[in-house]
PDB file of all heavy atoms in Angstrom:
ATOM      1  N   ASP A 653      63.012  60.627 107.907  1.00  0.00           N
ATOM      2  CA  ASP A 653      63.837  60.590 106.718  1.00  0.00           C
ATOM      3  C   ASP A 653      63.228  61.373 105.611  1.00  0.00           C
ATOM      4  O   ASP A 653      63.887  62.005 104.751  1.00  0.00           O
ATOM      5  CB  ASP A 653      63.937  59.099 106.321  1.00  0.00           C
ATOM      6  CG  ASP A 653      64.852  58.269 107.313  1.00  0.00           C
ATOM      7  OD1 ASP A 653      65.516  59.012 108.095  1.00  0.00           O
ATOM      8  OD2 ASP A 653      64.838  57.080 107.183  1.00  0.00           O
ATOM      9  N   ARG A 654      61.861  61.302 105.404  1.00  0.00           N
ATOM     10  CA  ARG A 654      61.262  62.142 104.301  1.00  0.00           C
ATOM     11  C   ARG A 654      61.326  63.687 104.641  1.00  0.00           C
ATOM     12  O   ARG A 654      61.513  64.426 103.565  1.00  0.00           O
ATOM     13  CB  ARG A 654      59.703  61.779 104.227  1.00  0.00           C
ATOM     14  CG  ARG A 654      59.421  60.527 103.640  1.00  0.00           C
ATOM     15  CD  ARG A 654      58.040  60.294 103.287  1.00  0.00           C
ATOM     16  NE  ARG A 654      57.204  60.224 104.407  1.00  0.00           N
ATOM     17  CZ  ARG A 654      56.817  59.105 105.087  1.00  0.00           C
ATOM     18  NH1 ARG A 654      57.305  57.946 104.642  1.00  0.00           N
ATOM     19  NH2 ARG A 654      56.146  59.035 106.227  1.00  0.00           N
ATOM     20  N   GLY A 655      61.381  64.114 105.737  1.00  0.00           N
ATOM     21  CA  GLY A 655      61.669  65.472 106.066  1.00  0.00           C
ATOM     22  C   GLY A 655      63.000  65.839 105.765  1.00  0.00           C
ATOM     23  O   GLY A 655      63.319  67.020 105.227  1.00  0.00           O
ATOM     24  N   VAL A 656      63.953  65.078 106.049  1.00  0.00           N
ATOM     25  CA  VAL A 656      65.452  65.273 105.646  1.00  0.00           C
ATOM     26  C   VAL A 656      65.535  65.498 104.182  1.00  0.00           C
ATOM     27  O   VAL A 656      66.273  66.296 103.584  1.00  0.00           O
ATOM     28  CB  VAL A 656      66.377  64.277 106.197  1.00  0.00           C
ATOM     29  CG1 VAL A 656      67.779  64.404 105.781  1.00  0.00           C
ATOM     30  CG2 VAL A 656      66.315  64.363 107.777  1.00  0.00           C
ATOM     31  N   LEU A 657      64.807  64.494 103.456  1.00  0.00           N
ATOM     32  CA  LEU A 657      64.849  64.455 101.970  1.00  0.00           C
ATOM     33  C   LEU A 657      64.218  65.804 101.350  1.00  0.00           C
ATOM     34  O   LEU A 657      64.804  66.375 100.491  1.00  0.00           O
ATOM     35  CB  LEU A 657      64.091  63.248 101.442  1.00  0.00           C
ATOM     36  CG  LEU A 657      64.012  63.146  99.845  1.00  0.00           C
ATOM     37  CD1 LEU A 657      65.445  63.123  99.324  1.00  0.00           C
ATOM     38  CD2 LEU A 657      63.129  61.941  99.516  1.00  0.00           C
ATOM     39  N   GLU A 658      63.079  66.295 101.948  1.00  0.00           N
ATOM     40  CA  GLU A 658      62.506  67.533 101.425  1.00  0.00           C
ATOM     41  C   GLU A 658      63.435  68.671 101.708  1.00  0.00           C
ATOM     42  O   GLU A 658      63.524  69.556 100.774  1.00  0.00           O
ATOM     43  CB  GLU A 658      61.180  67.646 102.175  1.00  0.00           C
ATOM     44  CG  GLU A 658      60.135  66.732 101.860  1.00  0.00           C
ATOM     45  CD  GLU A 658      58.880  66.862 102.483  1.00  0.00           C
ATOM     46  OE1 GLU A 658      58.835  67.799 103.292  1.00  0.00           O
ATOM     47  OE2 GLU A 658      57.869  66.146 102.289  1.00  0.00           O
ATOM     48  N   ARG A 659      64.109  68.752 102.877  1.00  0.00           N
ATOM     49  CA  ARG A 659      65.002  69.823 103.159  1.00  0.00           C
ATOM     50  C   ARG A 659      66.182  69.790 102.146  1.00  0.00           C
ATOM     51  O   ARG A 659      66.838  70.926 101.832  1.00  0.00           O
ATOM     52  CB  ARG A 659      65.553  69.878 104.617  1.00  0.00           C
ATOM     53  CG  ARG A 659      64.344  70.215 105.589  1.00  0.00           C
ATOM     54  CD  ARG A 659      64.981  70.541 106.912  1.00  0.00           C
ATOM     55  NE  ARG A 659      65.607  69.293 107.483  1.00  0.00           N
ATOM     56  CZ  ARG A 659      65.073  68.395 108.226  1.00  0.00           C
ATOM     57  NH1 ARG A 659      63.601  68.460 108.443  1.00  0.00           N
ATOM     58  NH2 ARG A 659      65.673  67.258 108.664  1.00  0.00           N
ATOM     59  N   ALA A 660      66.711  68.605 101.804  1.00  0.00           N
ATOM     60  CA  ALA A 660      67.892  68.478 100.929  1.00  0.00           C
ATOM     61  C   ALA A 660      67.624  68.573  99.409  1.00  0.00           C
ATOM     62  O   ALA A 660      68.467  68.541  98.697  1.00  0.00           O
ATOM     63  CB  ALA A 660      68.676  67.200 101.333  1.00  0.00           C
ATOM     64  N   ALA A 661      66.231  68.548  99.170  1.00  0.00           N
ATOM     65  CA  ALA A 661      65.871  68.471  97.682  1.00  0.00           C
ATOM     66  C   ALA A 661      66.365  69.583  96.919  1.00  0.00           C
ATOM     67  O   ALA A 661      66.929  69.453  95.715  1.00  0.00           O
ATOM     68  CB  ALA A 661      64.373  68.380  97.637  1.00  0.00           C
ATOM     69  N   PRO A 662      66.374  70.947  97.325  1.00  0.00           N
ATOM     70  CA  PRO A 662      66.809  72.090  96.458  1.00  0.00           C
ATOM     71  C   PRO A 662      68.221  71.907  96.098  1.00  0.00           C
ATOM     72  O   PRO A 662      68.745  72.084  95.145  1.00  0.00           O
ATOM     73  CB  PRO A 662      66.550  73.249  97.303  1.00  0.00           C
ATOM     74  CG  PRO A 662      65.393  72.923  98.176  1.00  0.00           C
ATOM     75  CD  PRO A 662      65.641  71.478  98.527  1.00  0.00           C
ATOM     76  N   SER A 663      69.114  71.456  97.185  1.00  0.00           N
ATOM     77  CA  SER A 663      70.538  71.428  96.950  1.00  0.00           C
ATOM     78  C   SER A 663      70.835  70.143  95.994  1.00  0.00           C
ATOM     79  O   SER A 663      71.613  70.309  95.035  1.00  0.00           O
ATOM     80  CB  SER A 663      71.196  71.132  98.337  1.00  0.00           C
ATOM     81  OG  SER A 663      70.975  72.222  99.205  1.00  0.00           O
ATOM     82  N   LEU A 664      70.046  69.228  96.227  1.00  0.00           N
ATOM     83  CA  LEU A 664      70.236  67.983  95.194  1.00  0.00           C
ATOM     84  C   LEU A 664      69.949  68.361  93.839  1.00  0.00           C
ATOM     85  O   LEU A 664      70.538  67.890  92.839  1.00  0.00           O
ATOM     86  CB  LEU A 664      69.359  66.753  95.701  1.00  0.00           C
ATOM     87  CG  LEU A 664      69.818  66.284  97.150  1.00  0.00           C
ATOM     88  CD1 LEU A 664      68.849  65.074  97.469  1.00  0.00           C
ATOM     89  CD2 LEU A 664      71.252  65.624  97.062  1.00  0.00           C
TER      90      LEU A 664
END
Side-chain angles (χ1 to χ4, degrees):
D653 291 344
R654 283 193 294 271
V656 173
L657 178 60
E658 292 176 359
R659 290 192 299 270
S663 300
L664 295 176

